[in-house]
């Protein structure tokens, strides 16, 4: 399957639904080891994304994801705003002129997105940040020539769950050191929703 | 959650409206932004100072906008760093031709958003420099992690860098003195109660009636240790001791700040201050000036922080220099 | 009860110690008293201003000691009027030959203790005059009862009478202008939570999570009406409306004070202020100056009060005059 | 029976015991309709009185009650300090040169004390203040030629209890208007302890 404007719009919609439905859950995760705003931040940002994308016309996935990026950048704030904003911006730049976006083009886009996240946030894998979801997902995409949505979602899920046992090195949770152990990383959970939504769109499209 | 507010998602806009209404001759809100700037911004040929961060730390940051301190303050959502576009608007609004200096507290979000704004400004040809404030000794100082947080010591950076800019210092001068403050300022806080982000609707953490949290941040982030609530003297000793261990204050003169986190009565802050002064006297550290009150809060959290700034003649002079802002006068 | 303190029976002495430690060049504590006076008291040939009352209202009253405001503040136990001997010591310490003026809030205890002190001073040949502040419109104005309480409006009396004294006004001049302020200032408060007197150890009253108390005093005295918590706009409307109904402000210029009772974040006070300004604008009442912050608190009570002072040219000039105190600068 | 230094010392001691034992009760009464410090104020003041009287020597009831008055005046504050201080001061002045103080001299002293209280506080009977205990007790003393401790205590008790139904006109409770009804007046309760202690001393001395 390949991604076009229509399927990416569906992806964003599904993601927004998950975020709105889990706003309080994400916030409570952030209360445990952060400052208790991750759900609020993501819900505010993706609501604005939907407001924007449902009232605009897009010719390419690149245009659409760029609008997503700019909206997140200017409406989320905090740590997650620049990170998700950067991720979508890099994805947008990478898939420019590649419509419809096939598996390899998308994988290259995720590679760029992760690079962007890591440049901004200076986090490596294993530091209890959303990198811990993006990196395994990227590896999974690279290791396969098809999307394989079921396995993609499973990879993201396992990766998200694995953040529970990590002692945080980056982000606010790092202040807690050992006490951060035993709690999921909020940003990894929202990133899991992102890939879960993608998997659902891919599944439906198959 | 008991709060005096209208829509929990509008608290920042509502607050800024009330702020500008209170000081209409001194400040302005940049249209369609959450930026409060001096009424007369940009000041020609003066380095423009921009600070900011999440809301909920009032009087930080808009309360420090005015002569001798900030040129603009950018307000994010509660406890959420403002977005790059907002910071960029602030930079443009205060650029009087001598460049713009950013005071950034060391949180991942603040650093990323302010740096993105600086990149946008640089692309437009505006000279931008910055300092990252990281005075909280509760957090380990490490280059492998996010490192220390910026808390109440930030107010001294506003004051002193602001005075330098007001005196006509260049962007590099301002940066140098801001870095000197950062090198010489340390803080440590504690809390008795959590606080509630309006849009979250429930407290940031739970804590027993006989417990306190040592090393508390200013965003309801849990601290480093939870223990039985101690006397004011013991609290003063623990906080001051941690600060004193971090850099060598011996034989020096200091500015002291005993900062309330939001709902601690001033009475209690003065009780802490009494013991802080005794400790410093015992160690032969001379207090040049003391600040007791709410300077960098955490909504309605109960608790306090102790900040010590090691002074030299330059810092003393800049600390004394005139400042006229809603929350700080000298 | 979660408080940062040592011995609950020593909070006032501990606080005063920390207060003097913070401002050693500006104030002194009279030996063996709970009186804070200007360092240079008595000021020759200037009318000496003395205020005070129970503690727990910080920054009132010691925070207002300094040039352009008070010469001395007398601190009673928490929420308990100070005793006549303490007030008498304050009077003696600030008598510079031009007489002493007492600012008394209208509570039975304050009035009796201050008047007994005035009698002692008069017996020693010191000229003493006084004003009784009763700005709280929540209470019925009646000569058959205790009458209205003095609350946040007292700060304007300190400011304006203090400026008059600083300018060299006579005891009668100071009294006249203080009475003018009292005639033109009205306040009304509300609370979301009670507060706990340290020595009592438990909250002054109980209130449900969805309730607020309208007409709250500043001593944890129950208010006049308990009802469901309303929005900031509705609260601002109710408080402002009650104040506006009491004297005719139409067409006049006013000073506004939105005062926090202790644990209400400044953010919420500014949200209230936004609506207060809208209401005044709708009524054609011009705001000359606005004060938002903690001026007259009630320990860690959550809530606020709104004060309006109707101004004329004399009051405006005195409001603007220089004041240099720990809690108030202009 | 007549009152001498010894019996007045006992009176003060008994009164202090009652106040210390009922400190929280008095404070809770004041929390309901005042500012929650009456027990604290009275306990602080009478503790100081005992510290003073147990380390001093007195020749006359007048000297002793004057010391009580001065101590209360300088240690209690609030409304109750000047009122109880004035009461003991007027009593002291009235019984000067009358040792031992007999029923009529004491009654005259209570009359002076009540006058003093009313001059300071400007309260009349029926306004929910300690006047509502002192006035009936004075009438009882005036109507009898002996102390009759049992009836004296009963009179004070009934008077104290009667404050429950009054709507306050003076003192902080007046701010509550109708809402002050249904609560005892704290100062009336401490005044009841004062006369109850006196009655006990008189009883023991009989
Ligand atoms: N340096 C970083 N690199 C990558 N991700 C990070 C970094 N710092 C924080 N994050 C992610 O951001 C999430 C927190 O986002 P959010 O709560 O919205 O922002 P903030 O921490 O500013 O309140 C964390 O759970 C983590 O996944
Ligand atoms: N004007 C008055 N005349 C007589 N008694 C009064 C008056 N005002 C108050 N009181 C008494 O004082 C008591 C309160 O004392 P206390 O709580 O110690 O002082 P405060 O009211 O200043 O806190 C009331 O219960 C009442 O009996
Ligand atoms: Mg967060
Ligand atoms: Mg945040
Ligand atoms: Mg009292
Ligand atoms: Mg009382």
């Amino acid at each position: 399957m390949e991604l076009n404007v229509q399927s990416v719009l569906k992806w964003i919609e599904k993601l927004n639904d998950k975020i709105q439905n889990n706003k309080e859950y994400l916030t409570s995760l952030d209360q445990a080891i952060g400052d208790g705003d991750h759900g609020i931040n993501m819900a505010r940002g993706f609501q604005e994304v939907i407001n924007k994308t449902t009232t605009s016309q897009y010719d390419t996935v690149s245009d659409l994801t760029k609008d997503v990026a700019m909206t997140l950048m200017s409406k989320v704030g905090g740590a997650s705003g620049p990170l998700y904003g950067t991720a979508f911006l890099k994805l947008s730049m990478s898939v420019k002129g590649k419509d419809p976006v096939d598996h390899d083009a998308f994988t290259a886009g995720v590679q760029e997105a992760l690079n962007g996240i890591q440049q901004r946030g200076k986090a490596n894998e294993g530091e209890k940040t959303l990198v811990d979801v993006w990196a395994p997902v990227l590896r999974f995409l690279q290791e396969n020539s098809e999307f394989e949505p079921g396995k993609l979602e499973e990879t993201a899920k396992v990766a998200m769950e694995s953040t529970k046992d990590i002692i945080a090195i980056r982000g606010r949770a790092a202040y807690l050191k050992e006490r951060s152990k035993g709690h999921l990383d909020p940003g990894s959970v929202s990133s899991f929703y992102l890939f879960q939504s993608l998997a659902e769109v891919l599944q439906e499209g198959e | 959650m008991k709060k005096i507010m209208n829509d929990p998602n509008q608290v920042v806009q509502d607050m800024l409206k009330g702020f500008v209404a209170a000081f209409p001759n001194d400040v302005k809100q940049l249209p369609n932004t959450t930026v409060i700037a001096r009424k007369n911004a940009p000041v020609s040929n003066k380095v423009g100072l921009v600070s900011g961060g999440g809301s909920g730390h009032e009087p930080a940051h808009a309360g420090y906008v005015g002569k001798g301190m900030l040129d603009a303050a950018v307000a994010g959502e509660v406890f959420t760093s403002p977005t790059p576009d907002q910071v960029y608007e602030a930079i443009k609004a205060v650029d009087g031709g001598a460049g713009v200096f950013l005071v950034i507290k060391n949180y991942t979000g603040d650093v990323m958003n302010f740096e993105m704004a600086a990149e946008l400004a640089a692309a437009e040809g505006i000279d931008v420099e910055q300092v990252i404030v990281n005075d909280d000794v509760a957090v380990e100082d490490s280059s492998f992690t996010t490192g220390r947080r910026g808390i109440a010591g930030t107010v001294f950076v506003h004051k002193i860098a602001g005075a330098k800019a007001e005196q006509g210092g260049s962007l590099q001068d301002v940066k140098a003195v801001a870095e000197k403050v950062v090198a010489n300022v340390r803080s440590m806080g504690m809390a008795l109660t959590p606080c509630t982000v309006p849009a979250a609707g429930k407290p940031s953490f739970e804590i027993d009636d006989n417990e306190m949290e040592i090393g508390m941040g200013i965003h309801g982030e849990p601290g480093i240790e939870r223990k039985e609530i101690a006397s004011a003297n013991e609290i003063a000793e623990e906080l001051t001791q941690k600060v004193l261990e971090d850099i060598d204050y011996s034989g020096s003169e200091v500015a002291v700040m005993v900062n309330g986190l939001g709902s601690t009565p001033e009475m209690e802050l003065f009780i802490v201050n009494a013991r802080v002064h005794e400790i410093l006297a015992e160690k032969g550290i001379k207090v040049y000036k003391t600040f007791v009150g709410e300077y960098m809060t955490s909504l309605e959290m109960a608790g306090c922080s102790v900040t010590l700034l090691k002074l030299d003649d330059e810092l003393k002079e800049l600390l004394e220099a005139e400042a006229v802002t809603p929350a700080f006068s000298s």
Side-chain angles (χ1 to χ4, degrees), chain A, chain B:
Chain A
M1 192 213 162
E2 294 168 332
L3 291 163
N4 55 23
V5 167
Q6 210 46 45
S7 48
V8 173
L9 278 174
K10 253 197 232 156
W11 174 23
I12 298 303
E13 258 165 56
K14 277 187 192 289
L15 172 52
N16 179 53
D17 287 346
K18 287 192 208 297
I19 284 169
Q20 303 300 339
N21 292 336
N22 292 286
K23 179 178 165 181
E24 294 191 5
Y25 172 60
L26 289 171
T27 292
S28 71
L29 292 175
D30 198 31
Q31 284 192 319
I33 55 171
D35 60 350
D37 60 358
H38 188 58
I40 303 167
N41 293 343
M42 295 296 287
R44 182 179 57 246
F46 275 90
Q47 188 55 57
E48 294 283 350
V49 165
I50 294 299
N51 295 349
K52 180 77 192 166
T53 55
T54 52
T55 54
S56 306
Q57 294 286 350
Y58 301 98
D59 290 332
T60 65
V61 169
S62 179
D63 286 353
L64 166 52
T65 46
K66 187 173 174 203
D67 236 14
V68 173
M70 298 316 289
T71 305
L72 292 176
M73 212 90 100
S74 72
K75 297 296 176 187
V76 178
S80 47
L83 293 170
Y84 279 107
T86 300
F88 277 95
L89 193 62
K90 296 292 166 138
L91 175 65
S92 159
M93 287 158 65
S94 177
V95 300
K96 196 160 188 155
K98 307 239 167 112
D99 284 77
V101 180
D102 66 15
H103 171 273
D104 288 5
F106 186 77
T107 302
V110 171
Q111 166 88 66
E112 287 303 310
L114 176 57
N115 286 349
I117 289 172
Q118 291 195 273
Q119 245 161 36
R120 271 283 154 233
K122 304 190 176 60
N124 294 310
E125 218 181 323
E127 299 186 342
K128 203 173 185 115
T129 72
L130 44 81
V131 171
D132 295 328
V133 169
W134 285 73
V137 166
L138 173 62
R139 276 196 300 277
F140 172 82
L141 288 168
Q142 287 170 331
E143 285 159 9
N144 296 274
S145 52
E146 295 291 323
F147 277 119
E148 302 196 45
K151 285 191 189 163
L152 174 71
E153 176 175 343
E154 184 60 22
T155 303
K157 189 168 183 204
V158 169
M160 175 269 281
E161 282 166 352
S162 77
T163 63
K164 193 164 186 168
D165 291 332
I166 301 175
I167 296 175
I169 305 284
R170 295 278 163 191
R172 273 172 218 282
Y175 306 139
L176 285 174
K177 296 200 274 187
E178 290 72 23
R179 285 164 83 192
S180 66
K181 218 176 147 164
H183 299 276
L184 289 172
D185 170 54
S188 294
V189 176
S190 56
S191 288
F192 161 66
Y193 294 149
L194 181 143
F195 290 114
Q196 186 184 38
S197 307
L198 175 68
E200 287 169 10
V201 171
L202 293 167
Q203 206 110 43
E204 288 167 17
E206 270 175 357
Chain B
M1 176 178 56
K2 289 191 118 171
K3 292 191 186 280
I4 303 177
M5 60 180 180
N6 300 304
D7 179 347
N9 296 308
Q10 290 296 320
V11 289
V12 175
Q13 285 298 346
D14 285 357
M15 165 182 72
L16 294 176
K17 194 164 141 196
F19 187 82
V20 176
F23 312 110
N25 303 321
D26 308 309
V27 301
K28 61 186 172 193
Q29 181 173 4
L30 302 185
N32 302 314
T33 73
T34 55
V35 178
I36 298 289
R38 290 196 205 182
K39 187 88 178 202
N40 62 344
V43 182
S44 291
N45 298 317
K46 190 187 87 68
V47 171
L49 250 78
V50 174
S51 185
S55 293
H57 307 301
E58 292 68 31
H61 299 85
Y64 301 120
V65 170
K67 190 163 177 218
M69 291 185 88
L70 304 180
D71 292 85
V74 193
E77 291 296 321
V78 176
F79 291 174
T80 300
S81 168
T83 53
D85 53 324
Q86 301 287 314
V87 181
Y88 177 48
E89 291 301 323
I91 293 172
K92 285 191 294 183
V94 307
D95 176 30
V100 175
F101 189 70
L102 307 181
V103 180
I104 309 172
K105 290 190 292 317
N106 190 31
Y107 298 95
T108 310
D110 288 62
V111 173
M112 290 193 295
N113 286 289
F114 275 74
E115 283 185 348
M116 287 168 83
E119 288 163 17
L120 293 170
E124 292 295 315
I126 304 176
D127 268 1
V128 182
E129 286 287 354
Q130 65 178 53
V131 72
I132 308 243
V133 187
N134 61 349
D135 54 318
D136 186 354
V137 301
V139 180
E140 217 170 331
D141 192 11
S142 155
S143 51
F144 299 108
T145 70
T146 311
R148 287 177 167 173
R149 299 175 286 221
I151 55 173
T154 309
V155 179
F156 286 130
V157 180
H158 295 166
K159 175 66 189 78
I160 286 168
K164 192 78 187 178
E166 208 72 49
Q167 290 180 357
S170 70
L171 188 53
Q172 287 308 320
D173 294 340
V174 172
K175 186 180 166 77
V177 83
E179 284 177 347
K180 196 201 266 186
V181 176
V182 170
N184 287 286
V185 70
R186 296 291 186 277
S187 303
M188 172 98 175
M190 57 78 60
L192 294 176
T193 70
C195 58
T196 300
V197 173
K202 51 182 192 176
S204 49
F205 56 89
E206 287 185 3
I207 184 164
D208 277 356
D209 272 356
N210 65 341
E211 285 180 335
M212 62 179 182
E213 183 93 13
I214 295 285
M216 192 71 211
I218 54 167
H219 298 90
E221 315 99 302
I224 50 167
E225 195 190 350
R226 171 94 37 122
K227 53 184 181 181
E228 208 183 313
I229 187 166
S231 71
N233 284 350
E234 288 165 320
I235 290 168
E237 284 154 21
E238 175 150 10
L239 300 185
T240 310
Q241 203 46 49
K242 283 267 168 55
V243 166
L244 288 174
E245 278 165 13
D246 203 67
I247 51 176
D248 186 8
Y249 286 93
S250 58
S252 65
E253 269 187 275
V254 297
V256 175
M257 177 175 282
V258 178
N259 172 59
L261 291 184
S263 70
T264 292
E266 216 176 72
M267 170 184 277
E268 298 175 29
L269 301 179
F270 279 113
I271 292 175
V272 169
N273 183 56
R275 185 70 192 124
V276 170
H277 275 254
E278 282 175 358
I279 297 164
L280 296 177
E282 284 161 17
K283 309 234 180 251
I285 298 169
K286 200 175 151 203
V287 176
Y288 179 73
K289 207 170 171 108
T290 306
F291 300 84
V292 178
E294 296 186 345
Y295 291 93
M296 181 70 74
T297 63
S298 185
L299 294 169
E300 73 288 355
M301 191 179 287
C304 68
S305 63
V306 172
T307 300
L308 297 183
L309 168 63
K310 193 169 155 180
L311 297 167
D312 63 10
D313 288 342
E314 183 191 23
L315 296 184
K316 276 194 232 174
E317 188 222 318
L318 293 169
L319 189 60
E320 291 293 350
E322 190 189 21
V324 186
T325 75
F328 195 108
S329 310
S330 69

